[in-house]
Amino acid sequence: MNRDGLFSLVYFLILALHIYAGEQHYEMIATVSKPAILSSLIIYFVLNLLKNRKGFFGILILAGLCFSLLGDVLLIFQEVPIYFTLGLGSFLVAHIFYIVAFTKTYLKNHEISLIKKYGWVMLLIAAYAWFFFNAIRDFLGSMIGPVLVYTMVISLMLLIALNRFRKVSTSSFVWIALGAFFFVASDSLLAWNKFVRDLDHAHLLIMLTYGLAQYGIARGAVVQLRDVSSKSISTQS
């Protein structure tokens, strides 16, 4: 088993442990294992960042992962309103780092951007954001402003992730696009469960999609780091 395979096994074992503990209400295990999910991902990413070409793209992705970890820790205490707000803010910052990162280190800058070529994609994402926000807005109370801003930012994150189409390698594009889709799904489930009504197996649904989201973004970023490193080596030789 190579290093990527070993990492994936460890990551999904930690994720599975956390989901199981949450579903079975083993609070202590769930609390300890939650930050371990992103911590393992950060370790994996740092190792690849050190091995491959260092650059602004990698630093931005790492910052997004670190702010996501902070958000995870804060949301452990989300029953206290201020911690939920701070957690939301941490993820908001993480998405901003991801957005900037997804515009960096394109390998094929000559390609027409997906936003210009397939305008319906932007309309589809905007329509989903608008319909979802309107479906939950009456339940938000004082959180209507922060949730509106967060909805706009995460929707932009998904759009910019898709805009990498044909500007980077297929593997990197697919991983990050899937990660962005799962992030929107996870946060949609989280918002519905918190503000509208309790979902059956909410912890399973939210954390599974969240785990897949962060894994997809990190894995796609590692592929891009390796692609850029390989391109740099081939250019020098």
Side-chain angles (χ1 to χ4, degrees), residues 141 181 187 212:
F181 270 118
D187 283 350
L212 291 171

Side-chain angles (χ1 to χ4, degrees), residues 107-121:
L107 301 182
K108 303 173 184 176
N109 291 302
H110 62 277
E111 291 286 344
I112 299 175
S113 68
L114 180 136
I115 295 176
K116 292 181 179 179
K117 197 171 184 179
Y118 304 105
W120 59 268
V121 174

Side-chain angles (χ1 to χ4, degrees), residues 165-197:
F165 182 62
R166 289 185 177 175
K167 290 178 174 290
V168 294
S169 68
T170 301
S171 178
S172 179
F173 168 76
V174 170
W175 277 117
I176 285 182
L178 286 174
F181 270 118
F182 279 120
F183 227 133
V184 171
S186 179
D187 283 350
S188 297
L189 290 166
L190 175 64
W192 193 268
N193 183 70
K194 183 172 181 62
F195 296 113
V196 182
R197 68 176 180 84

Side-chain angles (χ1 to χ4, degrees), residues 124-137:
L124 189 63
I125 294 173
Y128 173 78
W130 186 85
F131 280 113
F132 183 80
F133 180 77
N134 277 278
I136 67 172
R137 66 180 300 172

